[in-house]
Every structure is written in structure tokens, then in C-alpha cells.
């Protein structure tokens, strides 16, 4: 429908937008040190990208009709809610937590100080 109304340039721009979101998410996943965050980010990015690719392939008649919506574009209330929730999870998993890094560093420093201190009651 977008192609009929707006032309091929808008279709290319929409496909490029989906590709940008997926590539940016996968790069963010690659930079993350936590394995859970890395896998969750990659999974959510691939879910978003594959849903878009399947919808585009169905509309180009390269695949049989599946009834899958185009993320954030096609009509569908439950699809919109689930994609918004997934995108919220993606943002939550990829956000930077500088305060968490400081808390972890303080805990490591406290553990080092405790192990370096002589034990109470032990002869010197």
C-alpha cells in the first residue's frame, strides 16, 4: 500500500529504516559484555528484522501469505502492543548503566580490602 501511494523511494527508505534499526541493535549487542544482554538484544533485533522481511516478501509475492504485520506500520492492535513491548525490552537491555559499574567497582574494592586486612585474633 505504501508503494502504491508514495512510490518506490518511500519503500526503499522504509526498508533502509528497518535495516538501520536491526544493524544498530546487532552492533549494540556485539559491544555488550553481559552474555544475557547480548543474546536478548540479538534475539529481539532478529525478531524485528525477520518479521519485517517476511511481511515484505509476502507483499512482493515471494512467499505465501502468513498474516504477519509490518512492524509499527501495518494495522493490528495486538501486534503493535507486542512490538512496542519488545522494543521497550530492547531499549532496557541496551541502555548504559554507569551507576551499576560504580557499585560493582566499590564491591570489588571492599572485597579486596577485606582479604588484605589481617584476620582478627590471629597472632601477628
Amino acid at each position: 500500500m505504501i508503494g502504491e501511494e508514495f512510490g518506490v523511494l518511500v519503500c526503499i527508505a522504509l526498508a533502509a529504516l528497518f535495516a538501520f534499526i536491526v544493524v544498530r541493535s546487532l552492533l549494540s549487542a556485539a559491544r555488550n559484555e553481559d552474555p544475557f544482554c547480548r543474546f536478548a538484544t540479538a534475539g529481539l533485533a532478529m525478531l524485528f528484522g525477520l518479521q519485517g522481511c517476511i511481511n515484505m516478501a509476502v507483499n512482493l509475492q515471494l512467499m505465501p501469505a502468513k498474516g504477519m504485520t509490518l512492524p509499527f506500520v501495518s494495522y493490528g492492535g495486538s501486534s503493535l502492543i507486542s512490538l512496542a513491548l519488545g522494543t521497550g525490552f530492547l531499549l532496557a537491555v541496551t541502555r548504559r548503566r554507569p551507576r551499576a559499574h560504580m557499585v560493582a567497582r566499590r564491591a570489588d574494592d571492599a572485597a579486596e580490602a577485606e582479604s588484605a586486612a589481617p584476620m582478627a585474633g590471629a597472632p601477628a
Side-chain angles (χ1 to χ4, degrees), residues 29-82:
R31 281 191 308 251
N32 207 328
E33 296 169 3
D34 183 21
F36 171 77
C37 292
R38 184 180 307 140
F39 291 134
T41 303
L44 288 167
M46 295 309 297
L47 177 80
F48 184 79
L50 284 175
Q51 186 170 347
C53 285
I54 290 172
N55 181 280
M56 290 178 207
V58 166
N59 285 320
L60 293 172
Q61 297 178 354
L62 298 173
M63 289 179 67
K66 300 286 181 203
M68 194 170 283
T69 61
L70 187 63
F72 297 116
V73 177
S74 296
Y75 177 76
S78 60
S79 174
L80 181 65
I81 290 172
S82 65

